[in-house]
Amino acid sequence: MTVKVDVLHNEDLSVFDALVDGVRQHNFAHMGPETSKPLAVVAHDDSGKLIGGVAGRTIYDNFLINVVWVDENARGSGLGRDLMQRAEIEAKQRDCTMAQVDTLSFQAPVFYQKLGFEIIGTVPSTAKSPERYFLLKKF
């Protein structure tokens, strides 16, 4: 068998989707049918402008948080906490038992810890990248 290896410099969604499908087939063989669904909780101001949100996926009994963002003008108002709490409620309704998120040292590790997340791993900083924290919250 001859193998050709390519280096891609642009995002190719068809390649990404094929890779994810391969992982899903492998997971199915070991864990049973997947129940992956997107989950997002978002907030808009009176003009309809997006001012914050939490987005990720629920899969098996995990809520995998991909992104949390609150507009600078709304930070400190409790909006981030409210969005996270509403996302947690929805994740629990989907039978999730935990949530996972990662953040950089200058972003929001303390915010997540105040919400009950525990740091379960770190990647040390480098000259060009701050320390990264991996956090978990069990429901």
Side-chain angles (χ1 to χ4, degrees), residues 92-137:
K92 287 177 181 177
Q93 290 174 349
R94 296 181 186 188
D95 296 324
C96 288
T97 62
M98 66 187 80
Q100 301 171 48
V101 68
D102 69 270
T103 190
L104 300 175
S105 59
F106 69 89
Q107 290 175 328
V110 173
F111 168 74
Y112 295 116
Q113 288 175 302
K114 286 180 181 178
L115 293 174
F117 283 79
E118 294 180 38
I119 296 173
I120 59 168
T122 59
V123 175
S125 63
T126 67
K128 295 182 180 181
S129 180
E131 190 169 28
R132 178 179 295 271
Y133 298 97
F134 293 90
L135 297 101
L136 176 73
K137 180 177 182 180

Side-chain angles (χ1 to χ4, degrees), residues 8 10-21:
L8 307 177
N10 294 306
E11 187 172 31
D12 185 332
L13 291 178
S14 66
V15 170
F16 178 81
D17 289 343
L19 294 170
V20 169
D21 186 55

Side-chain angles (χ1 to χ4, degrees), residues 79-91:
L79 177 61
R81 181 186 64 246
D82 183 47
L83 292 167
M84 289 291 290
Q85 289 172 340
R86 289 178 187 219
E88 181 178 324
I89 289 167
E90 179 63 26

